[in-house]
Amino acid sequence: MSDQQPIDVFAAADLGDGDAKTIPAKVTGWSDAITVFRDGDDFYALDDTCPHEKASLGEGWLENGEIECPLHQSRFSLKTGVVTCLPATRNARTHRVEVVDGRVLLTPGLAPTDAA
Amino acid sequence: MGAGLAAVSLCASLRAGGYTGRLTVLGDEPCHPYDRPPLSKQFLAGDRGIAEIAVQPAQWYPDQGIDMRLGIPVAALDADTGRVELADGSALAADVLVLATGGRARRLTAPGSQAAMVLRTRADAEALRARLVPGARVLIAGAGLIGAEVAATATHRGCHVTLVDPNPLPMEQVLGPQAARALHAQHAAHGVTVIRGGVFAVEPGKVTLSTGDSVPADLVMAGIGIVPNVELAQDAGLDVDNGVLVDAGMRSSAPGVYAIGDIARVDGSAHRSEHWDNARRTADAAARSILGLPPEAWRAPWFWTDRYGTHLEMTGLYDPAAEAVPRGDIAAGAGSVFYVRDGRCVGAVSLDRPLDIRAAQRMIDRDVPVRAERLADEGTDLRKLLTNIRSDAPGG
Ligand SMILES: Cc1cc2nc3c(=O)[nH]c(=O)nc-3n(C[C@H](O)[C@H](O)[C@H](O)COP(=O)(O)OP(=O)(O)OC[C@H]3O[C@@H](n4cnc5c(N)ncnc54)[C@H](O)[C@@H]3O)c2cc1C
Ligand code: FES
């Protein structure tokens, strides 16, 4: 993707701690739906489809900075997308999210910054 | 010894734990380790191929420095010396031996039943898939996990399926009656003929049942459980009783010899687990013992099964004496049952509600007090319930 424009997806206050919102592919223009997670005051974004099979990570269980897939419990780091346990062997794709003036801005395809 | 999920998990845990020495995996199947759960599901249906069911990509093994010796069975081991003999006459030795030989499919004993197919290996799945053609008349003996999944996949492939089991409500002892009923009812709803009985004789083109019925069948498949591959352990003089007996750290009765996965039974526990997650955990536990690390806390057992497009999960244990607390409507196809005893969740089963199980696992593992009304109330957010209970609890 060459034109990586941030997309204003929702107000930060609309997403509670430990919750997730999935943004459909037709909104983001990305190849997969993207889920934005909130862990404490931090926001993260991952491709929604689990790299193992077809489950939606947005329906998973968020804990300790990881999202656990609802189907077979592979876990992925929210920060890096790295898979930390089987059965999945591939990492999840991460995207940049920033909170600006209370709005959550998602940039599909761009690596997350750690300066959020 | 044995190149399945347990062996791969052990190698991964040893490397993750800092072990840099040699690792050799001996397997009788000619291929790299693959995941068995899809063999009765997506792989049998033809929706996933060989590469997609690999436990790890082929490059992972050299990357981790694991010497894979595949296609040759282990013939014998000497627990005192650590010497292992292979069926081709070669031998090698190791400081630590781990038995991870899993199980083989149990076979029917009725006359003519040598012709019945079974499903344990990828080769079994390929052979079975070739026979599951539209219109084929398939008789499946056993309505447990594997038999029921094959019934669902065969139906999906356009076969006419008859499912035979002597038990009026298969899986009831494992799942509890509500979930077992909901699951078992799916067969008839999908056009499968369900017969209570056993196989009496298999003849070309038909099967005679213990009920006296004669059922026309182009193919017979037996899904009647597994037999643990304990012969190596037995011959080596290890304590064996429905599995290789081990302690909580997966140590067998012989020093320096461990057993993990489907083959192992923790001494004192009533049954031997034959589930995917158990293979991983027991491998982890053995790795910790080998590396001299303290054992991890006990975690509630967990397994899943998929049939007719629905996903069932179970955690903990079904306890007939526990209160069965419904959440959602499992009979209608989406709901859970929590088993609650003395104010604690001891088990839970769910159909298409995996998050209920994620919550139940944590309730069991953290020993949190629960109230039946709260669990039953669909308005209760279980995740929040758990975090609240944790912060409410005096002293953490
Ligand atoms: C069709 C099917 C579907 C399943 N579905 C599910 C599911 O949905 N959910 C779930 O939780 N679990 C499921 N399971 C169970 C799960 O796959 C097993 O618990 C798991 O594979 C056990 O791993 P293991 O490594 O202990 O044994 P195995 O996977 O059996 O591996 C043992 C290996 O050792 C080899 N071996 C045996 N003897 C020797 C010898 N003498 N020398 C060398 N090698 C030897 C065997 O050939 C095999 O390759 C399923 C199993 C099957 C067969
Ligand atoms: S689909 Fe996510 S772990 Fe299997």
Side-chain angles (χ1 to χ4, degrees), chain B residues 74-169:
Chain B
V74 175
L77 64 99
D78 183 332
D80 294 331
T81 59
R83 197 181 124 92
V84 173
E85 274 171 40
L86 302 185
D88 66 358
S90 61
L92 60 167
D95 301 323
V96 169
L97 298 179
V98 183
L99 284 155
T101 47
R104 55 183 177 273
R106 187 185 299 279
R107 294 193 166 263
L108 292 167
T109 51
S113 56
Q114 315 77 267
M117 304 182 88
V118 293
L119 179 52
R120 179 71 189 176
T121 65
R122 198 176 83 193
D124 292 340
E126 284 164 344
L128 185 58
R129 185 170 61 194
R131 301 278 303 274
L132 295 181
V133 293
R137 296 165 304 177
V138 181
L139 184 132
I140 299 173
L145 290 170
I146 305 290
E149 289 187 357
V150 173
T153 305
T155 304
H156 173 72
R157 284 178 67 95
C159 304
H160 302 294
V161 178
T162 304
L163 186 59
V164 180
D165 196 300
N167 188 338
L169 190 53

Side-chain angles (χ1 to χ4, degrees), chain B residues 1-8 26-29 34-41 72-75 86 100-104 119-121 145-146 149-150 226 229 232 260-264 273-280 282 302-306:
Chain B
M1 288 160 279
L5 176 66
V8 176
L26 309 171
D28 60 1
E29 293 186 75
Y34 53 87
D35 236 357
R36 293 183 201 276
L39 296 182
S40 47
K41 311 176 184 78
I72 310 163
V74 175
L86 302 185
T101 47
R104 55 183 177 273
L119 179 52
R120 179 71 189 176
T121 65
L145 290 170
I146 305 290
E149 289 187 357
V150 173
I226 67 166
N229 292 323
L232 283 175
I260 56 176
D262 280 6
I263 194 191
S273 173
E274 299 170 355
H275 300 301
W276 189 94
D277 190 48
N278 176 66
R280 282 185 37 213
T282 51
W302 167 66
F303 72 88
W304 76 93
T305 175
D306 297 299

